[in-house]
Amino acid sequence: MYDVLVIGGGLAGMTAAAAAAKTGARVGLAGTGPGSFALGSGCIDFDGLLPEGEGTPAVKCLQEAVDFFTTMTAGAGCDYRGELTGKRMLPTIVGTYQPASYAPSSVWVPDPALPGTVAVVGVRGLTGFNAEFIAERLSFQADTLGFLTRYHARMIELPRGGRQSITAYDAAVCMEMEESRRELAAALQPAAEAADLVILPGILGIKVTAGDLGAFGDAVGCPVCEMATMPPSVPGLRVYHHLLEYLQKTGVELNLGHPVRHCLLDRTYCTAVSLATPGRDRLLPAKAVVIATGQVVQEGEPGAAGIDLPFDLRKDGIKVNRQLQPLNKEGAVIADNVYVAGSILGGNNPKNGNAAAITTGCQAGISAAKVVGYNAKK
Amino acid sequence: MRKNERNLDNCLKCTYCNTVCPVLKANPIYPGPKRLGPELERFRKSGVDSVTDWVDYCLGCGQCNLVCPNGVQVAELIAGAKFNHHKRGKRMMRDSLLARPGLLGRLGTLVPPVTNAVLGLRLTSHLMSGTMDISENRKFPPYAAKRLSSSPGVAEGKERLLFFPGCFAQHNKPGVGDAAIKVLELFGYCVEVARTGCCGLPAMANGNAKEMQARARHNILSLEKAIGGGHKIVVACTSCGHTLKCHYPHLFEQDKHLDELAQQVAANTFDLGEFLLGLESQGESGRRPGNVELSLAYHAPCHLKAQGIGKPWLSLLARIPGLRVVDVNAGCCGIAGTYGFKKEKYQLSMDIGRDLFDGLKKIKPDVVVSECATCQMQIQDGTGFAAAHPVEILYRAFNQTAF
């Protein structure tokens, strides 16, 4: 019997599970797939979520959620940088800037508005990362925006590469080894000498920690940043990998790989969740439930949430009250011990999906634990 | 494969399947599950020639199915391609033999000392390597003379259970089957050894659809009476259990009777650990285990993960006083049944297991426990540590307490 069972293994679900586990509750996590955040760089943009005026209760609430998240990621070995009210323009592989409030430290570049020389380093044979194109487009963008950073393209051979065509994931598997990273650092020396920053495609390993990446930067002798490539994106997968390990370390039990079929309701109380496992369903009893199933709805499943909801999830999302409890058409709470988080909530803005995931995930996890009598610790 | 007909279009190209594939990680030239599964399936379905030897390199571990956010049964798509992939010469002969461990077991156990002596000869490995591309680095597990026996008589008031032994417990290491049966008896069950043969997974892994169906049909019909009587089937091998639960329900769409039986077999099959933990959670603690002073490392087989039952043995072993258990949690061992015995796949198989071997060497356990017999072999080959089925440890713990 779990105190809190979180359904959904994406950013919202993992944040909810961590927030609930931190209160001391016994937490389980069920879900299929890492959600959509691991497909990108993992950066978080609060665009459109920040209320007017600093220091308001709403801003304080967002700040608490972000502080929880950044403490968690730092503890997990994949630290984030940024600030709630700030914005950093991060370069992308299509040569544009993407604004972010927070990002994994490996993709968090120095402010491009300030003077600087950046070497965009391509890897021979690596698909989907055209250094020439990226440097040309970024220089144009920088000019247009009045930024003072200048971009130059460089190419290197990947040590131990030796093949015609590789993906960022292949390269990252190779870069798990410290020796490979040392060789890569040596190969980057010529590009690093004339630059204030080296930008690489995201290839620096998935299991590597922030500490490993710091050591890599020291070996190169110049700050190094990564760019998310086409899926699978290594920076995103790295955050996912570390958060999963962190959850396991904090006692969260993982039940990944099988979709939820039903939430069992006794009037307005959810008693258990059934997973569609081979042979017969597996029942996971829980005292409180967080639904964070995202927008990928499995065909044939009665709504990813498993509750018969009076909405089309893909179109409307779940309607909730201020406490994030799901509501029916009449506006009454469907289940008192169920909370909803992440993109399954209606009114998504694709720009701030990750920000919404961590703030609602954090709140839903804490609220669910509270049902069972556990309170958030400072 | 009814599930796949429906969900091929569900592939979103997110590529998460590639990131969990043990083969792709060890060998970047492997095209990966996304390409071999949903992408090539479109061509196969429309009759475009898309034959590739790479399909034979899929381990069938099923981790791609588990990570897919949209329910695509990637591994089953590749298994289907394997069925239609025709091999020639040495490899055809070898794979045809490896597809039938049940038959080999029946032959091997006729005169086990002779079989084992012959299998132990260097000349034999040399010949098998030369004529059949079987790796000289592998030793075949010895065959045992002892047969498994059911609980004596049908005791009054005791619930009956069917034990599905699988090839390894039946032909190679009956001690595992014995321990499983004895432990179930301690929990008050009358255990009958099912008259079933090989589950059919080796046939499937070697691309032999006909043999797979034949094995499944035989087993399902052997279990028909027990299923009708409402008895549960308990399996100690996670690969057999996975086959009964996941593959049988998709094999007999053309035959209504067999199809219904297959669904019932799947619904009534329990992994041994799953079953024992279920009893404990219902408050039936059985006998209290005695002290066992050992340090163990636990490796979860891929086919356990694919069953979605958690890691029941971690909870069961945690109740044994004196025992220290660490979950090594380092992915696939790489042997995948008969896969690691093949000459062209041996090195890859060991490369896949490297993370696991390194993890175990850091833990330095007295014994490594894992439910899968071939995982145990691979762990022994890769690390030199002794490996056992966790039920052997549990039985030992029960034996520490006086009867």
Side-chain angles (χ1 to χ4, degrees):
Chain A
M1 168 74 92
Y2 295 119
D3 292 323
V4 176
L5 176 63
V6 178
I7 312 172
L11 188 57
M14 292 207 287
T15 307
K22 202 185 170 195
T23 66
R26 182 162 184 255
V27 181
L29 180 73
T32 51
S36 56
F37 92 98
L39 295 171
S41 66
C43 70
I44 296 165
D45 186 4
F46 278 88
D47 186 57
L49 281 181
L50 280 175
E52 291 294 319
E54 280 182 39
T56 60
V59 173
K60 226 179 114 212
C61 180
L62 287 181
Q63 188 66 58
E64 273 173 22
V66 170
D67 289 346
F68 170 77
F69 181 77
T70 49
T71 311
M72 167 172 80
T73 46
C78 54
D79 64 329
Y80 268 68
R81 290 201 203 154
E83 55 178 339
L84 188 60
T85 49
K87 197 143 274 196
R88 179 63 52 91
M89 300 299 258
L90 305 180
T92 72
I93 57 162
V94 285
T96 57
Y97 289 109
Q98 176 184 16
S101 319
Y102 292 85
S105 58
S106 82
V107 298
W108 186 259
V109 296
D111 188 352
L114 304 176
T117 306
V118 174
V120 179
V121 180
V123 174
R124 221 170 291 284
L126 183 84
T127 55
F129 189 91
N130 184 333
E132 290 279 352
F133 170 81
I134 295 167
E136 182 197 312
R137 293 297 308 156
L138 281 176
S139 298
F140 175 78
Q141 287 278 322
D143 263 350
T144 312
L145 294 166
F147 290 177
L148 300 175
T149 295
R150 291 292 165 264
Y151 298 87
H152 306 284
R154 295 276 183 280
M155 285 303 277
I156 57 161
E157 300 279 342
L158 195 65
R160 297 158 195 259
R163 285 193 307 116
Q164 291 294 312
S165 164
I166 53 167
T167 66
Y169 175 75
D170 297 335
V173 169
C174 173
M175 289 302 147
E176 300 293 7
M177 289 178 291
E178 204 189 332
E179 208 179 325
S180 306
R181 294 198 298 276
R182 227 180 3 247
E183 289 169 13
L184 177 64
L188 286 172
Q189 289 307 318
E193 267 167 26
D196 306 312
L197 173 72
V198 167
I199 294 186
L200 283 174
I203 56 167
L204 294 173
I206 289 159
K207 294 178 184 171
V208 298
T209 60
D212 297 331
L213 292 177
F216 177 74
D218 292 344
V220 175
C222 147
V224 180
C225 284
E226 288 178 295
M227 273 183 191
T229 57
M230 292 294 282
S233 142
V234 170
L237 282 173
R238 188 184 299 139
V239 176
Y240 177 69
H241 167 83
H242 283 105
L243 287 184
L244 263 197
E245 288 217 320
Y246 175 83
L247 290 179
Q248 284 173 287
K249 262 187 219 148
T250 51
V252 174
E253 210 173 278
L254 305 180
N255 306 279
L256 300 176
H258 302 278
V260 166
R261 204 188 298 276
H262 297 296
C263 289
L264 277 71
L265 287 185
D266 181 0
R267 289 165 194 267
T268 60
Y269 190 82
C270 178
T271 54
V273 167
S274 75
L275 298 188
T277 48
R280 63 194 165 275
D281 287 358
R282 177 175 178 210
L283 208 62
L284 297 175
K287 294 176 188 165
V289 172
V290 174
I291 296 176
T293 42
Q295 288 184 306
V296 179
V297 181
Q298 296 223 2
E299 195 188 348
E301 305 300 336
I307 294 186
D308 285 330
L309 292 158
F311 306 107
D312 179 344
L313 288 179
R314 273 173 270 210
K315 219 168 70 199
D316 305 324
I318 294 185
K319 299 282 180 289
V320 291
N321 61 15
R322 284 180 67 89
Q323 287 74 43
L324 298 178
Q325 293 172 299
L327 304 176
N328 64 17
K329 265 185 184 148
E330 286 72 43
V333 172
I334 295 174
D336 294 322
N337 60 337
V338 173
Y339 296 85
V340 185
S343 70
I344 197 173
L345 292 164
N348 290 302
N349 172 351
K351 279 187 182 168
N352 62 27
N354 286 344
I358 61 168
T359 43
T360 56
C362 188
Q363 191 193 330
I366 289 169
S367 303
K370 217 173 194 170
V371 171
V372 196
Y374 291 98
N375 286 305
K377 292 167 194 160
K378 286 286 166 189
Chain B
M1 306 280 155
R2 74 191 71 171
K3 217 170 170 183
N4 298 322
E5 289 298 324
R6 198 183 70 202
N7 68 23
L8 176 60
D9 286 347
N10 281 6
C11 175
L12 306 169
K13 311 288 169 219
C14 68
T15 323
Y16 283 140
C17 51
N18 281 359
T19 68
V20 295
C21 176
V23 182
L24 186 60
K25 200 166 155 194
N27 180 7
I29 302 169
Y30 179 65
K34 183 176 71 147
R35 179 126 323 148
L36 292 176
E39 287 182 357
L40 279 184
E41 187 70 7
R42 291 183 189 284
F43 293 100
R44 292 191 286 257
K45 275 177 76 141
S46 51
V48 179
D49 179 23
S50 45
V51 174
T52 163
D53 283 342
W54 284 117
V55 293
D56 279 342
Y57 282 77
C58 167
L59 299 164
C61 68
Q63 302 309 296
C64 44
N65 295 351
L66 296 183
V67 81
C68 179
N70 217 17
V72 180
Q73 301 292 297
V74 186
E76 273 61 45
L77 294 172
I78 304 174
K82 260 191 205 183
F83 286 150
N84 294 316
H85 182 232
H86 299 290
K87 288 160 279 197
R88 277 189 291 268
K90 283 194 228 178
R91 289 188 185 175
M92 184 187 74
M93 191 166 74
R94 174 196 69 191
D95 290 2
S96 168
L97 269 178
L98 291 179
R100 295 173 170 83
L103 176 70
L104 296 177
R106 282 206 302 282
L107 294 174
T109 50
L110 286 177
V111 195
V114 177
T115 322
N116 296 338
V118 172
L119 282 176
L121 292 175
R122 284 194 63 163
L123 178 67
T124 312
S125 344
H126 200 67
L127 279 175
M128 288 200 295
S129 166
T131 59
M132 285 195 292
D133 273 359
I134 287 178
S135 170
E136 281 188 69
N137 297 307
R138 293 283 184 197
K139 280 195 192 72
F140 275 82
Y143 288 100
K146 192 176 174 303
R147 302 304 298 268
L148 287 176
S149 46
S150 304
S151 307
V154 179
E156 283 287 308
K158 278 191 178 175
E159 196 184 320
R160 268 180 66 195
L161 277 184
L162 229 61
F163 180 67
F164 183 101
C167 294
F168 195 74
Q170 204 154 32
H171 302 304
N172 303 104
K173 203 174 170 191
V176 174
D178 270 342
I181 293 168
K182 295 270 166 48
V183 165
L184 289 166
E185 284 172 353
L186 286 173
F187 277 86
Y189 286 91
C190 176
V191 185
E192 187 186 324
V193 178
R195 301 176 70 83
T196 47
C198 173
C199 67
L201 180 64
M204 186 177 172
N206 284 287
N208 194 330
K210 223 171 128 193
E211 176 68 11
M212 163 80 173
Q213 279 222 329
R215 297 279 61 83
R217 180 193 306 272
H218 168 82
N219 291 339
I220 289 169
L221 292 175
S222 309
L223 294 166
E224 182 173 7
K225 215 174 130 198
I227 291 294
H231 303 303
K232 286 171 179 155
I233 305 159
V234 176
V235 192
C237 165
T238 40
S239 290
C240 298
H242 178 252
T243 307
L244 267 61
K245 285 181 179 181
C246 298
H247 297 314
Y248 283 13
H250 303 291
L251 290 173
F252 300 105
E253 280 165 58
Q254 315 304 330
D255 186 327
K256 198 163 173 262
H257 178 61
L258 275 177
D259 190 40
E260 272 171 21
L261 282 176
Q263 310 297 334
Q264 287 170 23
V265 166
N268 288 289
T269 296
F270 290 78
D271 171 71
L272 177 64
E274 175 192 17
F275 187 79
L276 292 174
L277 193 64
L279 292 179
E280 293 216 349
S281 64
Q282 289 159 28
E284 292 182 42
S285 55
R287 176 199 300 274
R288 265 170 37 132
N291 205 55
V292 177
E293 289 288 340
L294 269 183
S295 108
L296 300 185
Y298 172 74
H299 162 68
C302 297
H303 288 157
L304 170 81
K305 294 180 192 163
Q307 289 185 46
I309 54 176
K311 295 177 180 173
W313 280 105
L314 283 180
S315 311
L316 290 164
L317 293 173
R319 290 163 178 57
I320 300 176
L323 205 64
R324 282 148 293 149
V325 190
V326 182
D327 179 8
V328 56
N329 201 16
C332 178
C333 77
I335 195 166
T338 58
Y339 185 102
F341 283 83
K342 301 175 183 178
K343 205 189 228 173
E344 74 281 10
K345 300 189 176 83
Y346 171 78
Q347 193 50 51
L348 177 58
S349 156
M350 298 310 276
D351 290 347
I352 292 169
R354 186 145 303 140
D355 279 356
L356 174 63
F357 305 152
D358 291 348
L360 290 171
K361 283 172 190 163
K362 261 185 220 154
I363 298 170
K364 293 194 187 73
D366 298 324
V367 181
V368 183
V369 287
S370 185
E371 295 100 308
C372 169
T374 54
C375 289
Q376 292 167 28
M377 283 182 219
Q378 175 83 337
I379 287 164
Q380 279 166 342
D381 283 3
T383 65
F385 291 127
H389 191 293
V391 76
E392 297 178 79
I393 308 291
L394 184 63
Y395 182 51
R396 188 164 147 190
F398 282 135
N399 265 342
Q400 304 294 315
T401 50
F403 278 79

